[in-house]
Amino acid sequence: GDSVTQMEGPVTLSEEAFLTINCTYTATGYPSLFWYVQYPGEGLQLLLKATKADDKGSNKGFEATYRKETTSFHLEKGSVQVSDSAVYFCALRGRRIGNEKLTFGTGTRLTIIP
Amino acid sequence: DTAVSQTPKYLVTQMGNDKSIKCEQNLGHDTMYWYKQDSKKFLKIMFSYNNKELIINETVPNRFSPKSPDKAHLNLHINSLELGDSAVYFCASSPVGAGNTIYFGEGSWLTVV
């Protein structure tokens, strides 16, 4: 079945550091890929997405590129802020009709210290 | 206006009780979901409905029963609550199509004591 493997946390960085959170996937066919973010005590928000190979999703300074050859969708940000502290989830959505659910990775908790 | 709204946000109840969580979406989406997030933050799908029809039912105990009176609503009823049911339950909705975003509600924090 479909699965997502993402970098285990927690990750702690200083403000203005470069961030990478690794994500790889296994899926039948060509899924769509997503990053969701969960701030403390809140629900899930879409951060960015990519629906086909070589697409780059971007939002709020975060970027991720859909790499079919390495089955990866790594999240990056050039300069993190304290307000980026949250749990980040990589997810895929399969294309099989009747099974278009999101399959999530385990989440990576990110803490940014001033 | 909240796109996917679920109530209650917090629920504390005793073992053995029966409880319901309600969900409504005003986005006009055809598909709705229930996800469970455990204490380690792991998210797993429980159910999915498309136009009131159940299409995904993932190995969930039959104490959990979803009901979709119309395509804008998907409620979750839980019978005989157990300690292990303590979790955050997220309702979500989306248009059909893998490239479309799934939108989540704010979650319902269930604690069974």
Side-chain angles (χ1 to χ4, degrees), chain A residues 28-96:
Chain A
T28 304
Y30 303 105
S32 293
L33 301 174
F34 301 80
W35 278 100
Y36 280 83
V37 58
Q38 186 175 28
Y39 297 102
E42 296 186 13
L44 291 158
Q45 302 175 27
L46 176 71
L47 182 59
L48 53 85
K49 71 177 185 181
T51 58
K52 61 183 189 299
D54 301 324
D55 268 1
K56 177 187 282 188
S58 61
N59 185 26
K60 299 181 181 178
F62 291 88
E63 293 182 341
T65 300
Y66 190 141
R67 301 285 188 202
K68 188 177 77 168
E69 63 276 12
T70 54
T71 61
S72 65
F73 193 53
H74 305 320
L75 182 68
E76 296 182 337
K77 185 174 185 182
S79 176
V80 292
Q81 306 301 313
V82 171
S83 57
D84 294 326
S85 298
V87 181
Y88 292 80
F89 294 91
C90 185
L92 69 82
R93 192 173 183 192
R95 295 186 185 276
R96 278 188 299 137

Side-chain angles (χ1 to χ4, degrees), chain A residues 32 36 38 49 93 100 102, chain B residues 33 35 37 94 97 99-100 102:
Chain A
S32 293
Y36 280 83
Q38 186 175 28
K49 71 177 185 181
R93 192 173 183 192
E100 294 174 351
L102 273 175
Chain B
Y33 309 82
Y35 278 82
Q37 185 175 46
S94 77
N100 290 308
I102 295 181

